[in-house]
Amino acid sequence: MNWHKDTLEIPSHGKGMYAFTDAVNARIQAWGIREGMCFLYIQHTSASLCISESYDPSAQDDLEIFLDRLAPERQPWHRHTMEGPDDSPSHMRAILTDTDLTIPIDEGKLNLGIWQGIYLFEHRTRPHRRKVLIRCIQTA
Amino acid sequence: MNWHKDTLEIPSHGKGMYAFTDAVNARIQAWGIREGMCFLYIQHTSASLCISESYDPSAQDDLEIFLDRLAPERQPWHRHTMEGPDDSPSHMRAILTDTDLTIPIDEGKLNLGIWQGIYLFEHRTRPHRRKVLIRCIQTA
Amino acid sequence: MNWHKDTLEIPSHGKGMYAFTDAVNARIQAWGIREGMCFLYIQHTSASLCISESYDPSAQDDLEIFLDRLAPERQPWHRHTMEGPDDSPSHMRAILTDTDLTIPIDEGKLNLGIWQGIYLFEHRTRPHRRKVLIRCIQTA
C-alpha cells in the first residue's frame, strides 16, 4: 500500500456550495492511483464538506436555503457573535454537515454515484481561502 | 495489511431505516478478517447511512418522524421538485446524516457498541435498490 | 504501514461538549506516529463526536442550545420515552452529528485547523463513561 498526501486550497466568495470533485480526481490521476481510499479533511469550523446531487443546480439552491432556515442568523439566544451575525450559525451548519469524507477510489478516480459531487460548503459571508487536506491509500 | 472490496445491494420500499449490520459482518467473516477497519460508502444523494440504536424499534420511528419534520415536503420555497415533492427533502435529509461510515473491526466483526446498528436511511417514497460500497483494511 | 489501537474512556456529567483533543494527541505521541491517519469511533447512540471551534466557549454554548432547539425534549409525537424525556432526542442529536471522525496526522499530532477541537457531545442528562475507539495507521 502506498500513501499520498497534499493540501487543496479552495477559494470561496460568500455562502454556498463549491464543487471540487475535479480537483480531487486530478490529484488521484497525477499520483497514478487506480484503486484505494481517499480521505478529505477540512481544517475549518465555519465551512464544511458535503456530498450531494451535482446535476440540477436547483438542488443546491434548496440545500443552501434549508441550512439558512435550520440555523438562521440574528437569533436572540446567540452569544457567539464576536465576528458578526454569520459567526455562530456557521458553526451550527458545519456540525450538521461533514468535516471529513472517506471515499473509495476505483478505475483511477473517486467511485462516486452517478449524480454525486463533492462540495465545500461555505457558511461565512466574506470570501475565504479554505484548506482541505487530501490523503490517499493506494492499493493498486 | 490486506485489502478487500465488494458492493452491497440493499433494497428499500419507501422512506425509513433498513438495518444491514448482518450483511456487513457476513462479508467480514467471509474475508477472514479478524481485525482492521471497515469503510462503507453509499453512492446516492437521496438515501444515506446512519448508525443508531437497534434495540427498540420506537427509536427508529421517532428518528424517521424527526427527519420528516426537520425537512418537510411541499414547502413553498422548494425549487428542486422535478421528481416530486420528496426529491429536494431527500437531499436535505441525506446531508444531515452520513454518506460514509468508518468502523473498527475486532474479533472478526464490526466493533459496534452494544445497542448500535448500521442503517440505510431511505428518503424517497418509491422502492429502490441502493448500492453501498464496502472496503476493508485487514491488519490481522 | 503500522497499526495502533486503543480505547479512550471519557467521563461526562450531563449534556454538553467535552473536549478530548489532548487525549488523542497523547496516544499518537506515545505510539511515536509522525504521519498517518487517525480514526475515532464512538460506541454509543446517545452521545456523539464532533469537531468545532475550540477558542471561544460561547461557540459551544450556542451549539448546545442549537441542538436542544432542533431536537427538543417532551414532544407529543415522541414514542421512544422508556428511559426518560432525554432518550429519543439523544438519538436525534447523535445522528445529526458524528459517530466517527477521520483525521490526518502530521508532525506527530492531529493536523487540525488552528481553531478546531475534538469533542464528545453528550446528549443525556445523567453522567456516563463513554467509550471512543482510536485506531491509527502510521505511514511515518
Side-chain angles (χ1 to χ4, degrees):
Chain A
M1 290 190 191
N2 290 320
W3 174 249
H4 305 271
K5 54 181 275 190
D6 204 353
T7 301
L8 302 175
E9 282 216 2
I10 301 165
S12 69
H13 44 273
K15 290 180 186 181
M17 295 169 70
Y18 298 83
F20 68 101
T21 316
D22 292 349
V24 178
N25 277 328
R27 286 305 187 288
I28 291 170
Q29 207 174 355
W31 287 326
I33 304 175
R34 240 180 351 108
E35 194 182 294
M37 290 301 297
C38 178
F39 305 104
L40 300 174
Y41 182 82
I42 188 165
Q43 287 186 308
H44 305 278
T45 61
S46 60
S48 55
L49 301 176
C50 115
I51 289 181
S52 194
E53 117 105 75
S54 63
Y55 177 67
D56 178 3
S58 71
Q60 295 162 40
D61 294 342
D62 282 3
L63 288 176
E64 291 168 17
I65 296 169
F66 173 61
L67 280 196
D68 263 337
R69 298 173 69 102
L70 213 54
E73 295 187 0
R74 299 171 199 280
Q75 299 302 292
W77 53 272
H78 289 178
R79 290 167 52 185
H80 181 65
T81 51
M82 217 165 38
E83 296 183 15
D86 62 337
D87 191 1
S88 209
S90 74
H91 302 311
M92 297 171 195
R93 296 165 195 197
I95 68 162
L96 295 182
T97 49
D98 296 309
T99 298
D100 62 71
L101 294 173
T102 298
I103 308 164
I105 299 167
D106 287 290
E107 300 176 20
K109 60 178 199 296
L110 296 170
N111 195 348
L112 302 176
I114 193 161
W115 307 119
Q116 286 182 320
I118 301 180
Y119 294 90
L120 177 114
F121 216 136
E122 177 58 65
H123 305 302
R124 301 303 302 263
T125 306
R126 287 194 298 181
H128 284 82
R129 292 191 72 79
R130 299 303 198 171
K131 284 193 181 171
V132 176
L133 307 182
I134 171 169
R135 301 290 182 267
C136 290
I137 291 176
Q138 179 177 13
T139 60
Chain B
M1 289 191 192
N2 289 320
W3 173 248
H4 305 272
K5 53 182 277 190
D6 203 354
T7 300
L8 303 175
E9 282 216 0
I10 301 165
S12 68
H13 44 274
K15 290 180 189 182
M17 294 170 71
Y18 298 83
F20 68 102
T21 315
D22 292 349
V24 177
N25 277 328
R27 287 304 188 287
I28 290 169
Q29 206 173 358
W31 287 326
I33 304 175
R34 240 182 348 111
E35 193 184 296
M37 288 301 296
C38 177
F39 305 103
L40 300 174
Y41 182 84
I42 188 165
Q43 288 185 308
H44 305 278
T45 61
S46 59
S48 55
L49 301 176
C50 115
I51 290 181
S52 194
E53 117 106 74
S54 64
Y55 177 69
D56 178 3
S58 71
Q60 295 162 42
D61 294 343
D62 281 3
L63 288 177
E64 291 168 18
I65 296 169
F66 172 61
L67 280 196
D68 262 338
R69 297 173 70 102
L70 212 53
E73 295 188 0
R74 298 173 200 280
Q75 299 303 293
W77 54 271
H78 289 176
R79 291 167 53 185
H80 181 65
T81 51
M82 217 165 40
E83 295 183 17
D86 62 337
D87 192 359
S88 209
S90 75
H91 302 311
M92 296 170 198
R93 296 165 195 197
I95 66 162
L96 295 181
T97 47
D98 296 311
T99 298
D100 62 71
L101 295 173
T102 298
I103 308 164
I105 300 166
D106 287 290
E107 299 176 20
K109 60 178 198 294
L110 296 170
N111 194 348
L112 302 176
I114 193 161
W115 306 118
Q116 287 183 318
I118 300 181
Y119 294 89
L120 177 113
F121 216 135
E122 177 59 66
H123 306 301
R124 301 302 303 261
T125 305
R126 285 195 299 181
H128 284 83
R129 291 191 71 78
R130 300 304 197 170
K131 284 193 181 170
V132 176
L133 308 181
I134 172 170
R135 302 290 183 266
C136 290
I137 292 176
Q138 180 177 12
T139 60
Chain C
M1 289 191 193
N2 290 321
W3 173 249
H4 306 271
K5 54 181 276 190
D6 203 353
T7 301
L8 303 174
E9 281 215 3
I10 301 165
S12 69
H13 45 272
K15 290 181 189 181
M17 295 169 70
Y18 299 83
F20 68 102
T21 316
D22 292 349
V24 178
N25 277 328
R27 287 303 188 289
I28 290 170
Q29 206 174 356
W31 287 326
I33 305 176
R34 237 179 356 107
E35 193 184 295
M37 289 301 296
C38 177
F39 305 105
L40 299 174
Y41 182 83
I42 187 164
Q43 288 185 309
H44 305 278
T45 62
S46 59
S48 54
L49 301 177
C50 117
I51 290 181
S52 194
E53 117 107 73
S54 63
Y55 178 67
D56 178 4
S58 71
Q60 295 162 40
D61 294 342
D62 281 2
L63 288 176
E64 291 169 17
I65 296 169
F66 172 62
L67 280 197
D68 262 337
R69 297 173 70 103
L70 212 54
E73 295 189 0
R74 298 172 200 279
Q75 299 302 293
W77 53 270
H78 289 177
R79 291 167 52 185
H80 180 66
T81 51
M82 217 163 40
E83 294 183 17
D86 61 337
D87 191 0
S88 210
S90 74
H91 302 311
M92 297 171 196
R93 297 166 194 197
I95 67 162
L96 295 182
T97 49
D98 297 308
T99 298
D100 63 70
L101 294 173
T102 298
I103 307 163
I105 299 166
D106 287 290
E107 300 176 20
K109 61 179 198 294
L110 296 171
N111 195 347
L112 302 176
I114 192 161
W115 306 119
Q116 288 183 319
I118 301 181
Y119 295 90
L120 177 114
F121 216 136
E122 177 58 66
H123 305 301
R124 302 302 303 263
T125 305
R126 284 195 299 181
H128 284 82
R129 291 192 70 78
R130 300 304 197 171
K131 284 193 182 170
V132 176
L133 308 181
I134 172 169
R135 302 291 183 267
C136 290
I137 292 176
Q138 179 177 13
T139 60

